[in-house]
Amino acid sequence: MARAAIVRRPVELTVEGESDLTGFAGGPPSYPSTVPAMSNARLGLLMFLGAETMFFAGLIGSFLVFRLGSEIWPPLSQPRLPLGVTGVNTFVLLLSGWTAHRALNAIRNGESVGLVRWLGGTAMLGILFLCVQGYEWVRLVHFGLTVSSGIYGSTFYTLIGFHGLHVLLAAVWLLVILIQARQGRFTAGRHVVVETFTLYWTFVVGLWPLLFTLVYLI
């Protein structure tokens, strides 16, 4: 009597709660890649801006202590701050914030030419703001307002000076980015540097109306 053929089939191993393993033919199972919700550069800059906010909060707090504790402000012997010129200069800086966001929107849409154009406009406005502010400082020093002239002068140059330093550093960063943009370094999918710069520039621009109101108007 012929023996019946015995067919041996491979046993398929399964894991409870999962589909059959396909490692024999298709390789290990694939898992969806996770993309961070925020880049490390953006997260690092946000942390830095948090520290900067506390720094300027301390300066503003010190200024308010001296300002509210003085019966006459500014002192009669000190020159008055130039409201008209600084008001126009405030508009210049606010306009630079708008052009910076236009540059970011341009590169997000893949418009490298628009990026260069709007970054160039931002650079010119930022440098103009610094030049006007520097010219006014020279005039104030000539009229007797110095760091050593009293609390009024020291608080003015400390608070406004640190903001001007931040604008200067941001302008230098902007010029570096502008050179890279002219070289075609940024695309619609690769422009983290432009995003982080725009965030920092927005912080610097947004801080100025508060300082202008406290120091020049109140």
Side-chain angles (χ1 to χ4, degrees):
M1 178 181 296
R3 296 183 179 179
I6 299 177
V7 179
R8 299 182 179 271
R9 296 180 179 180
V11 179
E12 297 181 353
L13 300 178
T14 60
V15 179
E16 183 179 357
E18 299 182 358
S19 58
D20 295 345
L21 296 176
T22 57
F24 297 102
S30 59
Y31 299 95
S33 59
T34 58
V35 179
M38 181 182 301
S39 64
N40 293 334
R42 190 180 182 89
L43 179 59
L45 182 60
L46 288 176
M47 296 175 62
F48 174 74
L49 291 182
E52 289 286 270
T53 301
M54 291 186 290
F55 172 74
F56 276 101
L59 293 180
I60 293 173
S62 300
F63 169 80
L64 290 177
V65 168
F66 292 114
R67 170 66 181 88
L68 299 178
S70 302
E71 296 181 358
I72 301 177
W73 191 273
L76 298 178
S77 60
Q78 296 296 321
R80 299 303 181 263
L81 300 178
L83 294 179
V85 175
T86 308
V88 175
N89 210 25
T90 298
F91 174 76
V92 170
L93 188 62
L94 292 176
L95 184 60
S96 72
W98 177 74
T99 57
H101 281 275
R102 289 298 302 267
L104 178 59
N105 291 334
I107 194 57
R108 283 175 174 173
N109 295 327
E111 302 174 4
S112 57
V113 176
L115 172 66
V116 173
R117 181 173 64 251
W118 290 111
L119 283 180
T122 304
M124 288 188 296
L125 292 171
I127 293 174
L128 176 61
F129 173 83
L130 290 173
C131 291
V132 172
Q133 194 174 61
Y135 173 74
E136 291 301 323
W137 280 25
V138 172
R139 294 187 59 190
L140 290 173
V141 171
H142 176 73
F143 290 131
L145 183 63
T146 62
V147 177
S148 60
S149 61
I151 296 299
Y152 181 66
S154 60
T155 53
F156 170 79
Y157 285 111
T158 299
L159 193 56
I160 303 302
F162 271 111
H163 178 267
L165 178 61
H166 282 68
V167 177
L168 177 60
L169 295 177
V172 173
W173 187 13
L174 171 58
L175 293 177
V176 174
I177 294 177
L178 181 58
I179 294 175
Q180 294 176 337
R182 290 181 179 274
Q183 298 173 348
R185 297 280 297 274
F186 307 112
T187 62
R190 189 183 63 198
H191 54 269
V192 177
V193 175
V194 181
E195 286 185 348
T196 52
F197 164 76
T198 304
L199 181 60
Y200 183 75
W201 191 262
T202 301
F203 170 80
V204 173
V205 172
L207 179 63
W208 176 249
L210 174 61
L211 299 181
F212 175 70
T213 301
L214 292 175
V215 177
Y216 287 82
L217 300 181
I218 297 180

